[in-house]
Amino acid sequence: MEKIIAVERNHMGDIISFKTSNGRVISYRKALMDIETGVINGVDVVENESEEEEISFSIIDSFDNYPPIF
């Protein structure tokens, strides 16, 4: 199983992609699919107030402590 190890943010600070422990750089949407199918563990997919799916880290509250991909 893979884990998320880094994030890429846009100029507004929104996460747009992730780097996994296997070295893959994947989009936010691909990460959602991989989490739901069990390819990536250690995170959950939850619905926010707008009923949109978002990624939530199950151990800490955010991805703020993750390094950038590049």
Side-chain angles (χ1 to χ4, degrees):
M1 294 209 160
E2 294 179 77
K3 294 183 181 197
I4 293 174
I5 60 168
V7 298
E8 181 178 1
R9 296 178 185 272
N10 64 16
H11 67 283
M12 306 250 325
D14 299 322
I15 297 172
I16 58 172
S17 59
F18 296 92
K19 184 173 185 179
T20 70
S21 55
N22 284 1
R24 294 187 309 142
V25 176
I26 57 175
S27 69
Y28 194 96
R29 284 279 168 216
K30 175 65 174 157
L32 284 172
M33 292 187 316
D34 285 356
I35 293 163
E36 289 174 340
T37 59
V39 174
I40 296 174
N41 67 352
V43 290
D44 297 309
V45 176
V46 296
E47 281 190 7
N48 62 19
E49 298 88 31
S50 303
E51 297 183 9
E52 297 173 337
E53 289 183 328
E54 64 180 28
I55 298 171
S56 173
F57 208 102
S58 55
I59 298 172
I60 58 174
D61 293 331
S62 69
F63 289 100
D64 291 342
N65 296 324
Y66 278 67
I69 293 174
F70 302 106

